[in-house]
Amino acid sequence: MKNGMKWVFSLFLLFSMQTFHAQLFQNNKKPLLKVRKVGPYLGVQQAKYFAAEFGAEMQFKQIKLIKPNTHAINMGFDYNFRLNQPVLSYVVGYWFKQGRLNLTYGATLVLKSNFERNIVGGGPVLGFKLLGFHLQTGYHFLPQADSFKEVNQLYISLRYVLVNTRDYTWRKRDKK
């Protein structure tokens, strides 16, 4: 009986190692399953000034056992209403994550307005995403920031994405 269990365990190990090998060394094939998630996000941005964030995000994820890739685009706005001169910002962003518990790397393009002047800028974003929450820190390079003082250039934000739609795409297996 013990000898039979060793054979079953050995066969299981052999087949699982073959699966790991296939995913590690055959990167030229597309994944079998992809998912696209779409939904709104709510967030807060804290820096010199506090702002509330609202928007929508679309995520594209490869469902793989090892190193799944996630790409996302988002579009939204944030509003700082505590100032004497309120600031409205429109933000378009992109981020990328490879793996399950790795950092996200991205960039943003921003249009800020105090309803008298407008500033266009952009910059890098670094973050960490876990269970729908996305903690990001970034810097906005704003060329005319001298005359426009009530903006967050270096900031940290926390967002939560409420996923409304999940679309799965299956790829057919290649016949051997």
Side-chain angles (χ1 to χ4, degrees):
M1 185 71 173
K2 289 183 181 179
N3 201 12
M5 290 301 286
K6 287 181 185 178
W7 276 103
V8 170
F9 184 70
S10 297
L11 286 175
F12 174 74
L13 260 169
L14 179 67
F15 288 126
S16 62
M17 292 304 286
Q18 181 182 7
T19 304
F20 286 171
H21 180 269
Q23 283 201 3
L24 281 176
F25 297 109
Q26 295 179 0
N27 291 333
N28 56 355
K29 290 188 178 180
K30 294 180 183 176
L32 285 175
L33 179 61
K34 292 182 182 179
V35 64
R36 184 184 72 174
K37 298 188 254 183
V38 181
Y41 69 80
L42 305 171
V44 292
Q45 185 181 107
Q46 181 64 48
K48 187 174 180 182
Y49 304 105
F50 177 83
E53 297 181 338
F54 305 98
E57 184 167 282
M58 184 180 295
Q59 299 174 9
F60 304 94
K61 185 174 183 179
Q62 298 174 350
I63 307 295
K64 293 180 4 181
L65 188 60
I66 298 173
K67 292 186 182 178
N69 294 331
T70 305
H71 297 268
I73 54 174
N74 54 52
M75 187 171 72
F77 68 94
D78 58 71
Y79 186 66
N80 185 349
F81 48 85
R82 291 188 181 187
L83 296 172
N84 296 337
Q85 187 73 25
V87 175
L88 176 67
S89 301
Y90 293 102
V91 180
V92 175
Y94 167 80
W95 59 264
F96 169 75
K97 179 174 86 166
Q98 184 175 12
R100 299 196 192 289
L101 294 175
N102 294 342
L103 295 175
T104 61
Y105 305 98
T108 60
L109 182 64
V110 65
L111 168 71
K112 294 191 176 276
S113 175
N114 65 355
F115 304 106
E116 292 177 7
R117 295 188 192 106
N118 298 326
I119 299 176
V120 176
V125 178
L126 180 69
F128 185 75
K129 184 169 179 359
L130 185 65
L131 299 175
F133 289 99
H134 197 177
L135 181 68
Q136 291 181 318
T137 183
Y139 187 83
H140 289 147
F141 292 101
L142 302 170
Q144 301 111 358
D146 304 348
S147 62
F148 198 79
K149 304 248 185 231
E150 302 89 8
V151 295
N152 291 333
Q153 286 186 304
L154 179 64
Y155 65 93
I156 188 167
S157 71
L158 179 65
R159 295 178 179 171
Y160 183 75
V161 178
L162 303 161
V163 176
N164 287 342
T165 307
R166 283 185 173 88
D167 295 327
Y168 295 95
T169 305
W170 289 86
R171 177 183 60 86
K172 292 185 179 181
R173 288 188 182 265
D174 297 333
K175 295 183 180 180
K176 293 183 179 181

